[in-house]
Amino acid sequence: MKPLPRLLAMAAVLAATQSAMAVTLPINSYAALPGTTVAAEPQLAGVVLEDQVQAFSFNNGSGIVSGTVQSRVVRSSVDGTLDFYWRVISDRSSAGDIGSFRLGNFVAPEYKANWRSDGLGNVAPDAAYRFGAPYVGYVNYIFGHTQGDPYLTPGSESYFMFLDTSATSYAKTALYDLTDPGQGHITTGYATFAPAVPEPSTYAMLLLGLAGVGMAAARRRG
């Protein structure tokens, strides 16, 4: 029988690991994002395939809110699947806070979200919201959702937010925008990366299905 202190220590490590895992987002509901690391999720380690920076700005009614968004696509060194990352950097001269980073048309096999506490940044999104039909593929990362948690203020930088997917190919087919805390003022939409839809494996299954239908029709004609 293991000593009680050792059992307690093992339980604490297990609980910490579980709380750090990417969060499967429920439909039409907020999900808290605890943050995670490569140490907790080794499959997040990988090769950067894309790394692009896009400037943004919008008028919040009292001035210009501005900054840049860094978008990345990373292929996992563990299983070869793709993870999609975004980081928001607010200009020091920006006229106000950023309340949310919103993805659209990001159609994925699954929606497992979190943010990387072992990378660049100093402000984390504390929640994410996944929309259901008819807004399939829409996900909001939210700053300051929980009272007391910070918005993304001028001069601050978000940690890398991500979606961990089982996709193996990608295209620049999704969009994102940014809003003020009340979502009353919004940027224009900017293009970003997402899983290619359908995936090559889906094409293969479709072709096999069509071939089967053709063979069945030929047999009927025969």
Side-chain angles (χ1 to χ4, degrees), residues 47 49-50 73-84 106-110 163-172 193-204:
V47 178
L49 305 179
E50 303 279 358
V73 181
V74 177
R75 188 175 300 281
S76 171
S77 300
V78 174
D79 58 16
T81 59
L82 297 174
D83 300 326
F84 298 84
F106 190 96
V107 180
E110 62 282 293
L163 283 166
D164 181 6
T165 78
S166 60
T168 56
S169 61
Y170 67 94
K172 206 169 189 179
F193 301 102
V197 180
E199 284 276 294
S201 58
T202 306
Y203 277 121

Side-chain angles (χ1 to χ4, degrees), residues 3 21 30 32 63 102-103 178 188 195 200 205 215-216:
M21 299 295 284
Y30 291 99
R102 312 190 308 179
L103 288 170
L178 301 99
T188 187
M205 292 176 65
M215 291 173 63

Side-chain angles (χ1 to χ4, degrees), residues 11 33-34 41 57 59 64 79 90 118 123 133-134 139 163 196 203 205 217:
L33 301 180
E41 298 187 74
S57 65
N59 193 319
I64 301 299
D79 58 16
S90 179
D118 55 354
V123 178
V139 174
L163 283 166
Y203 277 121
M205 292 176 65

Side-chain angles (χ1 to χ4, degrees), residues 17 29 32 38 73 96 101-102 104 111 115-116 118 121 126 128 139 144 147 156 159 164-165 191 211 216:
T17 302
S29 182
V38 168
V73 181
F101 173 84
R102 312 190 308 179
Y111 293 86
W115 55 275
R116 289 280 298 272
D118 55 354
D126 55 354
V139 174
Q147 187 173 7
S156 61
Y159 292 98
D164 181 6
T165 78

Side-chain angles (χ1 to χ4, degrees), residues 65-132:
V65 177
S66 62
T68 55
V69 172
Q70 184 177 5
S71 302
R72 278 185 178 177
V73 181
V74 177
R75 188 175 300 281
S76 171
S77 300
V78 174
D79 58 16
T81 59
L82 297 174
D83 300 326
F84 298 84
Y85 286 81
W86 303 271
R87 189 167 78 97
V88 182
I89 301 97
S90 179
D91 289 340
R92 290 187 180 277
S93 59
S94 187
D97 299 342
I98 295 167
S100 58
F101 173 84
R102 312 190 308 179
L103 288 170
N105 201 37
F106 190 96
V107 180
E110 62 282 293
Y111 293 86
K112 296 166 62 179
N114 214 331
W115 55 275
R116 289 280 298 272
S117 60
D118 55 354
L120 299 172
N122 51 34
V123 178
D126 55 354
Y129 189 98
R130 175 188 170 195
F131 292 84

Side-chain angles (χ1 to χ4, degrees), residues 11-36:
V13 170
L14 179 61
T17 302
Q18 288 175 337
S19 66
M21 299 295 284
V23 178
T24 299
L25 300 180
I27 295 175
N28 293 327
S29 182
Y30 291 99
L33 301 180
T36 191

